[in-house]
Amino acid sequence: MRSGFVRTGLVLAGLAMAGPTLATSWLSLPLPPGAEATWVIREGAINGIPSQVQELLTPQAPAEVLAFYRRQFEMQGGLPNPGAARGWHSLAMHRDPINLLVQVQAGKGGGARVLLSQMDLRASRREVIPSELPPLPGARLMQSTESRDGGRRSRYVNFSSAESFDLLTQRLRGHWQRRGWRAAFDDVRPLKGGARQWLASFEGPKGSTVDLVLAPMPDSRELSLTVNLLDGTP
């Protein structure tokens, strides 16, 4: 299956609000010496908030990276706010209207892995739940991400739901079939303890696709539903 937005432990808050489309002037921050940078999201939105995310791999230790960005924040007149969650150490700073977040963890082969994020908090400019999805009564939105690559829009959404496995698979399968989308694959697999997992992918017009994964949530009676929508060619 095509992969969605890389799960990174990025913590964002906020719900979509109606608002005008605003051009974002992203802040320029230097990279630590020797860092290799790749874009996770160059032009997109997370939970409806316009965002940029870069992943860095650096030879420096996590403490050195945090000290580097603490100095950068202080040079810009900011007051860095430290934090830690799920194995990541972080520094946050707000420079109106941009929220900056640096998250650091030890690299697998030494050095550090870094996520450098910027969020424009002025207004939401993207829908949080794609309009193509059917109603999902009782489902709770856990994360919504939008990005663009080569002019094609990709949207990732994750829900938790207390509905039954069979009801959700029937509702979602029927929804895409009624839209005229062709099933590239549709597979229910058994898991340990009598649980099941549903993997499906449907193909629509102009190369558009939707990938779906429905599986039990760890240590919970609820189900996790992941939907990855890729728009067709313009």
Side-chain angles (χ1 to χ4, degrees):
M1 294 182 71
R2 286 159 291 275
S3 62
F5 174 66
V6 178
R7 302 274 69 76
T8 59
L10 183 67
V11 179
L12 295 174
L15 298 176
M17 299 168 55
T21 299
L22 300 172
T24 297
S25 296
W26 300 110
L27 300 179
S28 178
L29 282 179
L31 304 183
E36 298 179 2
T38 56
W39 286 106
V40 178
I41 298 177
R42 188 162 192 167
E43 178 191 352
I46 299 175
N47 292 350
I49 302 171
S51 304
Q52 280 193 344
V53 183
Q54 279 183 294
E55 181 178 21
L56 314 179
L57 297 178
T58 78
Q60 288 90 5
E64 294 177 287
V65 175
L66 290 168
F68 174 85
Y69 278 109
R70 180 181 294 275
R71 290 192 299 270
Q72 296 299 322
F73 286 0
E74 290 173 347
M75 287 170 59
Q76 297 191 32
L79 296 174
N81 182 27
R86 290 176 284 181
W88 293 84
H89 293 274
S90 64
L91 285 176
M93 183 185 80
H94 183 72
R95 188 173 174 186
D96 193 42
I98 303 298
N99 218 44
L100 291 166
L101 180 64
V102 177
Q103 293 170 284
V104 185
Q105 67 174 191
K108 291 183 179 180
R113 179 187 178 208
V114 185
L115 292 172
L116 183 58
S117 311
Q118 298 192 47
M119 291 143 276
D120 185 347
L121 303 183
R122 289 177 296 180
S124 169
R125 64 183 184 189
R126 306 279 201 280
E127 60 186 350
V128 174
I129 300 177
S131 59
E132 295 93 333
L133 292 181
L136 297 170
R140 293 186 295 119
L141 179 66
M142 306 300 289
Q143 184 166 4
S144 173
T145 302
E146 179 180 320
S147 62
R148 289 185 179 271
D149 185 9
R152 299 181 70 184
R153 180 176 59 164
S154 176
R155 288 165 292 167
Y156 170 99
V157 286
N158 177 250
F159 301 91
S160 65
S161 176
E163 284 199 279
S164 74
F165 183 93
D166 290 332
L167 184 60
L168 275 172
T169 53
Q170 291 169 11
R171 176 179 289 127
L172 289 160
R173 182 186 292 121
H175 173 75
W176 296 107
Q177 290 174 342
R178 287 190 295 273
R179 290 174 64 95
W181 289 43
R182 184 185 70 86
F185 62 85
D186 184 341
D187 186 23
V188 175
R189 302 177 181 180
L191 300 175
K192 292 181 180 179
R196 291 172 292 169
Q197 180 185 58
W198 181 49
L199 303 173
S201 182
F202 295 87
E203 298 176 346
K206 297 183 178 181
S208 55
T209 61
V210 59
D211 297 336
L212 303 110
V213 179
L214 182 65
M217 295 182 67
D219 304 318
S220 173
R221 294 183 179 181
E222 294 191 337
L223 296 170
S224 171
L225 171 64
T226 297
V227 181
N228 194 3
L229 280 158
L230 180 65
D231 285 0
T233 54

